[in-house]
Amino acid sequence: MRVVLPGKPQAKLQAVCTAQWEGQRIVAYASGNALIILGGPHDLIQTIYHDGSPALDAVAIDNSTGKIATCDSEEVYIYRPYGRKEGALRWSLQCTIRKPDETGGILTLSWGSDGELLVGSLSLRLFQTAEEAAMIWSRQLSRPAKFASFSPDASLIASTGLYDRLIKLWRRQSFGADDTRFDFTYLPHPKTVTSVHWRKPHDREQSTDNVLYSICADHKVRIWATTNPHGLQVLQLWAEIDMQESIQPRQIQSTSQLNERYAFIIDSHDFTFATERAMQAASDGNAEENHALEHLIEIAKRIPEVCVVLDGRGNMSAWGLESIGCKTKKPANKFNIAHVENFSLSKLQAVNAGESNLQFLNFCSHETNSAFTVLVHHFDGRIEWLEGRVDELFDPSPRRNRLQTKALWTGHDGSVKKIIRNRSGTALLSRTNDNEGLLWKQKASQNGMTLTRYSSLSCVEHIHRTCLLDEGDFVVNLHHHSISVWDMRASVASQTASINFEMEGKLLCLLLLREPDRLSSSFYVAAITSRMRGIVWEIQSKSTNHWSSESGKRSGTTITQFCSFDLKVQEDLRFILPVDPAGSPSITSSFLDTFAKDIAISYTKSGVLCAWAALIEVEKSSVEWVVTSRVETGIQDPSLASGSSIRKTAIIDAARTGLTIWDASSGQLEYDVHYEAQDLVQDLDWSSTPDDQSILAVGFPHKVVILSQMRFDYINTGPAWAPIRQILIRESTPHPIGDSTWLGSGNLVIGSGNQLYVYDQNVSISDDFSTDLSIPVHTHRSMTIFDLATYLNGPLPVFHPQFLAQCMLAGKLVQVQKIIIGLHKALKFFSDGDELDSFVSLPIDSFFAEPQSLPSAAKKEMRSSYADFVEESEPETVTEDLAASLNENLAKLAVPQLSSREQILLADIIECVATAEKHRRSMDDNAMRYLLFFRQHMLRKGQAPASRVGITWREIVWAYHSNSQDMLVHLVSKQFQGKMLWKHARESGMFMWMADLSALRAQFEVIARNEYTKTDEKNPIDCSLYYLALKKKNVLMGLWRMASWNREQSSTQKLLSNNFQEPRWKTAALKNAYALLGKRRFEYAAAFFLLAGNLHDAVNVCAHQLQDLQLAVAIARVYEGDDGLVLRSLLEDKVLPQTALEGNRWLATLTFWMLGRRDMAVRVLISPVYTLLDSPETPNLQSRSYLANDPALIVLYKQLREKTLQTLQGASKISPRAEWEFVIQIARLYDRMGCDLLALDLVRNWEFLVQPRELPRERSRKASVPDLRKMLRRRSSLVVDDLPSPGSPNQPRGLKAPPQKVFEEPDSNSLLDNFGF
């Protein structure tokens, strides 16, 4: 839902009108050069702007056709309705009418019969508007028309001029378009006529006598009717009501208050309908006696017109007028209905007498759900929609709220340029291009959170930047050469202090550095220029409204220059701007470091983002600045950037279509998206939940997309941000969005044209943007935006599939099994509506303790020993039967905290754990990790075949470092029913992780056979590459002998029969290879390269043309072994630069290990790849992505660093600070993933390497090498010594099988170390 502030109504007598057309209530009013059309208090139907035109003066609605006419001083615009039957009512321009060549503008409009429009200025002109506007009558006036209004039957026109005391009554003598004539008489008044009103009939087709009400400056309401049809006057004075005498206040009032009177007429049919609605409401409510309603029912039976008189102090008098126009007038025809008090109207302090005027419109439709409504047009720039029961309005007994305010329409009369909020988000200032501003404050209403106008500001100087102080009580405006302070506590703001300044460069921003606190009672604001120099001002204000008798201004507010500063930034600065306040309120500290709260961000043309914090040193009269974070995004010439105080930054590229979101603390990329070319990003606004979950509003010209941060997902590589809501404003206004900002409550305020839209914080879960967010719809239909962001980012329950997957990677298989068993117990007797413990009754400390698991054999023996005493209990491991039973429950139940998709993933994980447990004795932990995720991949592949191509490099690395590869090969082959093709091998990554070269070649031959037999025709071309890689040309020749159906058989057999060691045939094979490349038969071309003995080109074809890195590595390994030069060249020249470009640490560590650089294989787990390589290419955005920092890297790092002396040597080159930052970063990633327990386990149980201390004796011996084993806290004797001896030749750096753990006789010191001595 939204609340609309449509714009400031013009302070004109005919700026607001209302009508009932075909059952639709329409309210239209003029705001600046915009026509606002509404259908209810919060139903904005359409806004029509007249760009380049002066402000509108009058609006009129035709009850019969629904046309709307509006005018400025030069032109009349006529709009016709369309789309009513389709349910999308809008108005389009039908025609325009130009003003004649006369002084003065168009002042008044009125609709007659059959589409006739009366236009009043220095003349009265009548137009027929059925098609095009055609003038059918015209008459010059002695002075400009103030009113010119048709009677309901269009037979009379009442007009009066400015400051005129005569109403000119025009009587129509003919209705023909060709011969339209009027004569006129006068209705005299003693003073200036201020208002006229024609009585409206019950129905448009009803024929009634015309009755005219006029209000005069002598505070009298006069009723004119046809009492004598044969008299000289068309209308005669029937009665009058003295407004002064009608209200006799009990309290003494000032002269202005005594003369302040307002009046409006309730037509008889509106009064009758309102009384019926009151009777219906009373019958639906309690059965108590209602004397006020009974009194009104008796009055309504007389079908009177009602004249309501009010003063400025809340006193109201209502008069009934019965049988108006009857020939025999009785005294009882005018009677008092009620006199009530406490009918208050919200009035602002008027600057001039014109703004104190009020105008009333009222209606009550015949629909049963309609309420009695009063529209109050305040000439200070507001329209109030009041609703209620007419019996409560006229109840003489004391009441507090006789009518309820349903809406307050106000705003600007010019286009909104900027919206600035205070830090708490409870107040904001909207500013136009004309240097006019309105202060709004957040207020709760029956319709949700809305904005209340508190003060208006009008400045002569150009406002460059604005800053709100405190709760909006003061506003600081930065001008070109001065800065001013404004007091906003009155309805009209006043300037209280100002000071001039001179600075070099272009003014960029105005920052609030510090608010009053226990250390200082002053505000400190700073302005910064493009030269990165600035001035700080100190502002002292008093909260008391003390007025200076001499100046007439509020005293007590001063502004003085505190200091100047130079940030000394040499980079090519693009912009610096304040951060959006987000998160918990900042606390003033006397320390300045990287943990200080950010107040500004800057960005350069080369895409370098810097966050700044500042500290005011009052004693030294200086300010200290520090860069809290620096991110090199690589985005050239950014067009826009925005940051939040909790270090989230968004940046827009030069084309204004690309958005990237960065975490300034870690410098990693979290989101990268490109919008359509027509969607240019023009605004970015940050907000956050109370627990610091970030929300970003991305503003386009006609829509706003709201993004929420998500949990990191390294298993499914899901996005870290997602759109949760889209707001479209084109349906309500054609004007583009000027600016937007967040309120502290989560409401989004959008300024478009002269209107403000306040959108509530509720998000529909069934919305298109929310359906992909994995939200359980069975528990949430609608959520606030804060609750939704918290749900998408909060801690996960331990049975969530992501938490279980991360536990598997972290080696906590025992805890995973306990969780699954606990969930099985919890769901046994679970029913919808029950609560489910997030920890499934497991103690929290079980996630931090080292697993103390017994071997399976010992457990079986223990159970058999006590078989006579222990009853049959739940299984201690996840068996296949338990998994089947649990998954059956998951298929039937809706588990709280899980969406349907997450329940499917959970069922997959449970099945995978059961499968892995079945083979637990024959596999190590790394093989278990691989098997779990390979099995999970195969299950998901069956559910969505096009979802993923294969497993990730992470799983391949686990299998590569496993000592149970034979078992893995068997299980993977079994998964494909023993018919493994190359696409299956690539899917499993087998030829990247198999270490035994003979087993590798045997498996490659299996692939070759299966590729040959995969089709019924058995084409030798399909297996040529594989057999030639195995150097089995004779086998391939035998297969070609059987391929008699192939037209290439004879030529191929003839070619293969030659000796390819000879240059002639080698050249022939190369020619065939290049010919096949031209025909784009890349795989067959690679086979001919192998036939020619050119392994290098064959590998290049696989890597580049086929884009199959695994096939290239497999061929190189099979063809020339693990120490071949081609394999090394491929890894060094192709794979490593690719890992640096993409930031793929898993592939990088695997590559370094295959190259024999095990020290680098360890280092690359902690450091970004591009920092360890001299790559000529610039790393792309993907290398800076959060996906490059997988939390499982730390598990592998801990495992590898203790494996050999080479890995230990690599770990020793990592500084303790870098290792500490890596651990903290992984803990943050766990936290962002919702795995807080794993983050706590990591920081609690992590063991840092012990840095070796150099002894004095060892310093003298230069040849001595420190013992790297002493860096470990335990198990130092199990580290394999793989360092080459100093005198031996360089060890080949080819592929090595994972070393077997060789037992070495430990010395006494190492044994004592193992026991902690």
Side-chain angles (χ1 to χ4, degrees):
M1 184 180 176
R2 66 178 185 182
V3 175
V4 184
L5 299 165
K8 177 183 178 181
Q10 297 289 93
K12 300 292 179 68
L13 293 171
Q14 208 182 339
V16 184
C17 66
T18 180
Q20 184 87 1
W21 175 66
E22 294 188 0
Q24 168 78 54
R25 171 57 56 180
I26 301 171
V27 180
Y29 73 91
S31 174
N33 62 1
L35 173 64
I36 316 297
I37 307 173
L38 303 107
H42 305 290
D43 180 18
L44 177 62
I45 298 177
Q46 190 178 1
T47 304
I48 302 173
Y49 288 92
H50 304 82
D51 294 328
S53 301
L56 301 179
D57 293 316
V59 181
I61 304 175
D62 187 1
N63 288 341
S64 59
T65 63
K67 292 182 180 180
I68 299 177
T70 184
C71 68
D72 54 34
S73 59
E74 301 293 329
E75 206 161 2
V76 178
Y77 306 90
I78 301 174
Y79 295 92
R80 68 172 62 172
Y82 68 94
R84 170 74 175 159
K85 295 180 180 179
E86 293 79 7
L89 179 61
R90 293 292 184 274
W91 278 260
S92 63
L93 182 65
Q94 175 189 335
C95 60
T96 60
I97 302 173
R98 292 289 299 174
K99 184 196 78 168
D101 296 331
E102 57 185 24
T103 59
I106 303 168
L107 300 175
T108 179
L109 300 170
S110 180
W111 286 97
S113 63
D114 299 326
E116 293 178 342
L117 178 64
L118 180 66
V119 180
S121 55
L122 266 174
S123 61
L124 290 182
R125 293 182 296 156
L126 185 61
F127 292 87
Q128 176 56 251
T129 65
E131 296 299 332
E132 291 295 323
M135 188 172 69
I136 58 177
W137 176 78
S138 175
R139 180 64 64 92
Q140 289 293 123
L141 300 176
S142 58
R143 62 179 64 189
K146 181 179 182 180
F147 300 107
S149 177
F150 261 120
S151 63
D153 61 0
S155 64
L156 299 174
I157 298 173
S159 70
T160 182
L162 295 172
Y163 312 111
D164 205 340
R165 66 180 186 85
L166 298 175
I167 292 179
K168 189 175 288 187
L169 195 65
W170 304 80
R171 180 172 56 185
R172 192 165 196 159
Q173 295 180 335
S174 66
F175 277 86
D178 298 331
D179 184 21
T180 302
R181 287 175 289 124
F182 288 86
D183 64 2
F184 64 87
T185 58
Y186 290 103
L187 302 180
H189 291 72
K191 289 189 177 182
T192 303
V193 178
T194 59
S195 178
V196 295
H197 171 77
W198 289 101
R199 180 179 69 177
K200 295 184 180 66
H202 281 249
D203 189 81
R204 228 176 27 240
E205 306 299 328
Q206 181 183 1
S207 175
T208 58
D209 293 335
N210 291 315
V211 176
L212 178 68
Y213 302 91
S214 64
I215 303 176
C216 184
D218 64 350
H219 299 293
K220 288 186 178 180
V221 179
R222 291 173 172 82
I223 300 97
W224 306 84
T226 309
T227 57
N228 183 9
H230 304 289
L232 295 177
Q233 297 287 343
V234 181
L235 299 179
Q236 294 84 30
L237 181 65
W238 184 80
E240 61 182 27
I241 298 173
D242 192 330
M243 294 190 288
Q244 291 290 119
E245 296 297 329
S246 298
I247 297 177
Q248 296 294 331
R250 300 177 184 178
Q251 300 175 350
I252 299 176
Q253 297 179 330
S254 63
T255 305
S256 61
Q257 289 175 334
L258 282 172
N259 294 329
E260 193 174 7
R261 293 291 185 271
Y262 309 99
F264 64 92
I265 306 297
I266 304 176
D267 292 311
S268 59
H269 66 283
D270 287 330
F271 182 71
T272 303
F273 289 147
T275 306
E276 291 175 0
R277 298 293 92 76
M279 292 170 57
Q280 181 182 357
S283 62
D284 295 341
N286 52 28
E288 297 179 3
E289 286 190 56
N290 190 336
H291 299 292
L293 179 59
E294 294 172 359
H295 174 58
L296 280 187
I297 293 172
E298 294 300 321
I299 293 174
K301 291 178 181 177
R302 302 167 67 175
I303 316 179
E305 318 287 330
V306 179
C307 177
V308 181
V309 181
L310 306 97
D311 66 1
R313 298 295 298 270
N315 300 305
M316 182 177 68
S317 179
W319 295 84
L321 304 170
E322 182 184 4
S323 302
I324 298 177
C326 62
K327 295 179 181 179
T328 57
K329 179 185 173 185
K330 301 176 182 178
N333 287 356
K334 185 183 80 173
F335 55 93
N336 184 265
I337 296 176
H339 182 89
V340 299
E341 298 178 349
N342 300 324
F343 181 69
S344 58
L345 295 169
S346 58
K347 298 187 68 178
L348 301 177
Q349 177 186 348
V351 177
N352 52 58
E355 291 189 358
S356 63
N357 191 22
L358 299 178
Q359 194 177 24
F360 296 85
L361 296 87
N362 65 89
F363 54 86
C364 184
S365 305
H366 61 272
E367 286 86 0
T368 56
N369 58 350
S370 65
F372 177 69
T373 304
V374 178
L375 295 178
V376 186
H377 177 201
H378 300 262
F379 276 48
D380 58 19
R382 297 173 299 143
I383 298 176
E384 200 171 3
W385 181 299
L386 302 173
E387 276 188 10
R389 288 168 49 178
V390 71
D391 59 325
E392 295 177 352
L393 175 64
F394 295 139
D395 188 357
S397 58
R399 281 182 177 273
R400 184 170 293 272
N401 294 318
R402 297 182 180 273
L403 295 177
Q404 286 75 40
T405 301
K406 292 296 182 182
L408 187 65
W409 299 333
T410 183
H412 293 276
D413 55 5
S415 296
V416 176
K417 176 185 178 182
K418 191 70 179 174
I419 304 177
I420 307 99
R421 56 167 273 184
N422 66 339
R423 282 190 172 177
S424 62
T426 57
L428 57 88
L429 183 85
S430 54
R431 204 177 73 224
T432 66
N433 291 318
D434 302 325
N435 300 315
E436 294 183 353
L438 290 179
L439 178 71
W440 309 85
K441 292 194 176 180
Q442 189 173 299
K443 182 181 179 182
S445 67
Q446 295 178 351
N447 301 301
M449 195 64 64
T450 184
L451 291 177
T452 302
R453 172 181 157 188
Y454 264 72
S455 183
S456 62
L457 178 151
S458 182
C459 185
V460 178
E461 288 188 80
H462 172 72
I463 300 175
H464 198 65
R465 295 286 184 270
T466 301
C467 175
L468 271 66
L469 305 182
D470 204 10
E471 293 301 312
D473 291 343
F474 294 91
V475 166
V476 181
N477 287 326
L478 181 67
H479 314 287
H480 287 303
H481 298 289
S482 65
I483 185 170
S484 59
V485 183
W486 296 71
D487 191 335
M488 308 294 290
R489 290 173 290 182
S491 59
V492 179
S494 60
Q495 182 177 318
T496 61
S498 177
I499 188 173
N500 296 328
F501 65 85
E502 289 292 336
M503 278 196 293
E504 294 182 6
K506 179 184 176 182
L507 289 171
L508 295 183
C509 68
L510 180 65
L511 304 174
L512 176 58
L513 302 185
R514 181 170 169 179
E515 295 183 289
D517 50 37
R518 56 184 178 83
L519 302 176
S520 173
S521 60
S522 302
F523 294 93
Y524 293 89
V525 297
I528 303 178
T529 69
S530 56
R531 301 287 183 87
M532 292 304 279
R533 298 174 183 173
I535 297 176
V536 178
W537 291 276
E538 180 181 6
I539 301 173
Q540 292 182 335
S541 63
K542 294 183 180 179
S543 59
T544 57
N545 292 341
H546 178 65
W547 286 80
S548 171
S549 58
E550 297 181 2
S551 64
K553 294 183 179 181
R554 298 181 188 273
S555 62
T557 303
T558 61
I559 180 169
T560 56
Q561 183 169 325
F562 179 72
C563 68
S564 59
F565 59 88
D566 187 352
L567 295 178
K568 298 179 181 179
V569 175
Q570 303 299 325
E571 295 173 291
D572 191 4
L573 180 72
R574 182 68 188 265
F575 215 87
I576 183 169
L577 68 161
V579 299
D580 291 337
S584 54
S586 58
I587 301 173
T588 304
S589 172
S590 57
F591 299 100
L592 185 64
D593 51 27
T594 55
F595 297 102
K597 203 83 168 181
D598 295 342
I599 63 169
I601 65 161
S602 64
Y603 57 96
T604 66
K605 291 184 178 180
S606 59
V608 178
L609 289 170
C610 292
W612 298 82
L615 175 66
I616 294 290
E617 297 184 352
V618 181
E619 297 80 7
K620 298 180 181 178
S621 294
S622 64
V623 59
E624 186 179 350
W625 293 84
V626 67
V627 176
T628 57
S629 63
R630 177 185 172 91
V631 181
E632 296 184 6
T633 64
I635 298 173
Q636 297 297 318
D637 199 20
S639 59
L640 183 65
S642 179
S644 70
S645 54
I646 53 177
R647 299 192 179 168
K648 297 291 182 185
T649 307
I651 188 167
I652 305 299
D653 62 10
R656 285 188 173 267
T657 56
L659 165 68
T660 54
I661 300 177
W662 301 78
D663 185 335
S665 299
S666 60
Q668 63 187 14
L669 175 68
E670 294 189 353
Y671 190 61
D672 181 16
V673 64
H674 286 269
Y675 296 102
E676 299 290 336
Q678 67 272 16
D679 290 337
L680 301 181
V681 181
Q682 62 182 23
D683 191 23
L684 298 168
D685 295 291
W686 286 98
S687 181
S688 74
T689 65
D691 55 347
D692 292 355
Q693 312 296 346
S694 295
I695 302 169
L696 176 64
V698 184
F700 300 90
H702 295 281
K703 67 178 180 181
V704 175
V705 176
I706 299 177
L707 304 174
S708 171
Q709 75 174 41
M710 307 267 286
R711 298 184 188 95
F712 286 165
D713 185 358
Y714 291 92
I715 305 302
N716 304 303
T717 61
W721 289 76
I724 58 174
R725 187 178 186 183
Q726 180 173 255
I727 296 172
L728 302 173
I729 69 162
R730 194 186 287 273
E731 296 179 356
S732 302
T733 173
H735 206 286
I737 295 173
D739 197 14
S740 60
T741 192
W742 290 96
L743 293 175
S745 58
N747 298 73
L748 183 66
V749 181
I750 298 176
S752 173
N754 55 1
Q755 299 172 336
L756 293 178
Y757 299 82
V758 185
Y759 289 86
D760 67 2
Q761 62 270 54
N762 290 326
V763 178
S764 174
I765 303 305
S766 59
D767 190 10
D768 292 341
F769 277 85
S770 303
T771 51
D772 298 331
L773 298 179
S774 298
I775 304 170
V777 183
H778 54 267
T779 55
H780 303 284
R781 298 292 178 187
S782 177
M783 302 173 72
T784 67
I785 196 167
F786 284 172
D787 291 341
L788 178 57
T790 300
Y791 177 85
L792 295 173
N793 293 276
L796 293 170
V798 295
F799 49 82
H800 193 280
Q802 170 148 294
F803 185 85
L804 291 175
Q806 290 300 323
C807 284
M808 295 176 196
L809 290 174
K812 297 183 177 296
L813 298 177
V814 175
Q815 283 87 341
V816 169
Q817 302 222 19
K818 288 181 179 178
I819 292 169
I820 294 175
I821 293 171
L823 181 64
H824 175 63
K825 294 178 181 177
L827 293 183
K828 263 188 176 181
F829 307 103
F830 183 84
S831 59
D832 290 339
D834 294 351
E835 291 187 1
L836 186 61
D837 182 17
S838 297
F839 299 99
V840 289
S841 303
L842 293 177
I844 296 180
D845 56 359
S846 65
F847 293 92
F848 316 134
E850 291 288 337
Q852 301 292 333
S853 58
L854 290 170
S856 300
K859 290 182 182 179
K860 287 183 179 179
E861 185 179 346
M862 182 180 291
R863 284 200 294 270
S864 62
S865 301
Y866 294 93
D868 297 334
F869 306 100
V870 181
E871 295 181 0
E872 185 63 28
S873 61
E874 292 288 340
E876 296 183 10
T877 60
V878 179
T879 62
E880 292 184 338
D881 292 338
L882 184 143
S885 174
L886 179 53
N887 286 346
E888 186 179 348
N889 282 333
L890 288 174
K892 294 185 295 185
L893 298 172
V895 180
Q897 307 180 58
L898 293 183
S899 66
S900 56
R901 178 174 176 271
E902 289 167 346
Q903 283 190 217
I904 294 172
L905 298 179
L906 176 60
D908 293 346
I909 287 182
I910 292 170
E911 183 178 339
C912 294
V913 171
T915 304
E917 179 61 28
K918 182 179 178 181
H919 304 283
R920 184 74 183 92
R921 290 188 178 184
S922 54
M923 290 190 294
D924 57 10
D925 287 346
N926 286 340
M928 284 286 288
R929 292 184 178 101
Y930 174 85
L931 183 61
L932 283 167
F933 289 98
F934 174 72
R935 176 64 181 158
Q936 188 174 345
H937 160 72
M938 295 305 296
L939 288 173
R940 295 186 189 180
K941 179 187 172 185
Q943 296 162 2
S947 59
R948 287 173 62 176
V949 177
I951 59 174
T952 66
W953 291 105
R954 176 183 57 224
E955 283 72 54
I956 292 174
V957 170
W958 293 128
Y960 181 78
H961 290 291
S962 169
N963 291 327
S964 311
Q965 292 183 354
D966 293 342
M967 188 63 187
L968 288 181
V969 171
H970 169 70
L971 292 174
V972 170
S973 301
K974 185 178 178 182
Q975 180 68 44
F976 297 109
Q977 293 83 37
K979 297 180 180 179
M980 184 184 293
L981 303 174
W982 171 251
K983 63 179 182 180
H984 301 140
R986 181 176 59 236
E987 198 173 335
S988 67
M990 177 183 294
F991 289 92
M992 294 298 298
W993 51 256
M994 285 184 68
D996 188 345
L997 198 55
S998 59
L1000 180 86
R1001 288 173 173 149
Q1003 191 63 37
F1004 203 72
E1005 190 166 1
V1006 172
I1007 299 291
R1009 285 198 301 269
N1010 292 336
E1011 287 287 343
Y1012 174 68
T1013 58
K1014 69 181 180 182
T1015 60
D1016 293 338
E1017 61 185 12
K1018 297 181 180 179
N1019 194 343
I1021 296 177
D1022 295 336
C1023 62
S1024 297
L1025 177 63
Y1026 307 98
Y1027 278 117
L1028 290 175
L1030 289 165
K1031 299 178 181 178
K1032 293 188 176 183
K1033 187 184 71 169
N1034 294 331
V1035 176
L1036 185 60
M1037 289 175 63
L1039 298 178
W1040 272 107
R1041 288 192 200 101
M1042 294 183 287
S1044 57
W1045 55 269
N1046 196 318
R1047 63 183 181 181
E1048 299 179 5
Q1049 181 192 26
S1050 59
S1051 58
T1052 306
Q1053 273 189 286
K1054 185 177 180 181
L1055 180 66
L1056 289 177
S1057 62
N1058 297 297
N1059 182 9
F1060 287 91
Q1061 299 300 322
E1062 298 178 9
R1064 173 193 170 189
W1065 298 113
K1066 188 176 291 188
T1067 303
L1070 289 175
K1071 286 182 179 179
N1072 279 278
Y1074 288 119
L1076 290 168
L1077 281 178
K1079 296 178 180 179
R1080 304 190 65 82
R1081 297 174 65 181
F1082 299 126
E1083 185 176 319
Y1084 204 26
F1088 272 90
F1089 277 123
L1090 291 179
L1091 188 63
N1094 194 338
L1095 175 64
H1096 184 269
D1097 287 342
V1099 167
N1100 280 340
V1101 170
C1102 295
H1104 295 96
Q1105 274 74 25
L1106 289 174
Q1107 293 291 308
D1108 194 340
L1109 176 63
Q1110 291 192 40
L1111 181 59
V1113 172
I1115 289 175
R1117 294 183 65 191
V1118 169
Y1119 192 86
E1120 65 173 0
D1122 292 337
D1123 299 327
L1125 295 178
V1126 174
L1127 177 62
R1128 176 176 292 274
S1129 174
L1130 173 67
L1131 296 177
E1132 290 179 347
D1133 300 336
K1134 164 71 176 173
V1135 180
L1136 282 180
Q1138 180 183 338
T1139 62
L1141 192 66
E1142 299 174 355
N1144 191 336
R1145 297 189 191 180
W1146 292 103
L1147 180 56
T1149 185
L1150 176 64
T1151 305
F1152 278 125
W1153 198 281
M1154 294 174 75
L1155 288 170
R1157 294 296 308 275
R1158 298 180 178 181
D1159 55 338
M1160 295 294 289
V1162 172
R1163 290 176 61 190
V1164 81
L1165 295 173
I1166 287 185
S1167 304
V1169 188
Y1170 60 85
T1171 61
L1172 301 177
L1173 295 175
D1174 295 330
S1175 177
E1177 297 187 50
T1178 304
N1180 57 17
L1181 286 178
Q1182 186 181 351
S1183 65
R1184 296 181 173 93
S1185 170
Y1186 76 96
L1187 292 172
N1189 300 314
D1190 193 329
L1193 289 168
I1194 201 167
V1195 181
L1196 183 63
Y1197 169 73
K1198 185 177 181 181
Q1199 184 183 122
L1200 293 186
R1201 73 176 183 181
E1202 302 170 356
K1203 207 163 188 178
T1204 71
L1205 285 181
Q1206 262 201 66
T1207 60
L1208 200 54
Q1209 186 181 44
S1212 68
K1213 294 179 182 178
I1214 301 170
S1215 66
R1217 175 74 182 181
E1219 185 178 357
W1220 181 84
E1221 289 178 349
F1222 181 61
V1223 172
I1224 296 302
Q1225 182 187 20
I1226 297 301
R1228 286 179 180 151
L1229 294 179
Y1230 274 135
D1231 180 65
R1232 179 68 186 272
M1233 295 169 67
C1235 305
D1236 303 60
L1237 292 174
L1238 296 179
L1240 186 58
D1241 170 61
L1242 176 65
V1243 297
R1244 177 175 175 174
N1245 297 322
W1246 181 258
E1247 293 181 356
F1248 290 92
L1249 292 177
V1250 179
Q1251 295 301 311
R1253 289 179 296 180
E1254 195 176 2
L1255 300 176
R1257 242 181 348 182
E1258 292 174 343
R1259 290 197 197 103
S1260 60
R1261 283 183 280 173
K1262 295 182 181 179
S1264 65
V1265 179
D1267 188 0
L1268 295 174
R1269 293 186 180 91
K1270 293 182 178 179
M1271 298 179 68
L1272 298 174
R1273 299 179 183 271
R1274 52 184 174 178
R1275 297 188 301 275
S1276 59
S1277 60
L1278 300 179
V1279 177
V1280 176
D1281 185 358
D1282 60 348
L1283 290 176
S1285 58
S1288 64
N1290 286 336
Q1291 175 182 328
R1293 295 184 300 168
L1295 182 68
K1296 298 292 181 183
Q1300 301 294 326
K1301 295 181 179 179
V1302 181
F1303 178 77
E1304 297 180 0
E1305 184 68 28
D1307 59 11
S1308 59
N1309 290 332
S1310 64
L1311 286 174
L1312 291 175
D1313 286 344
N1314 283 338
F1315 287 98
F1317 293 99

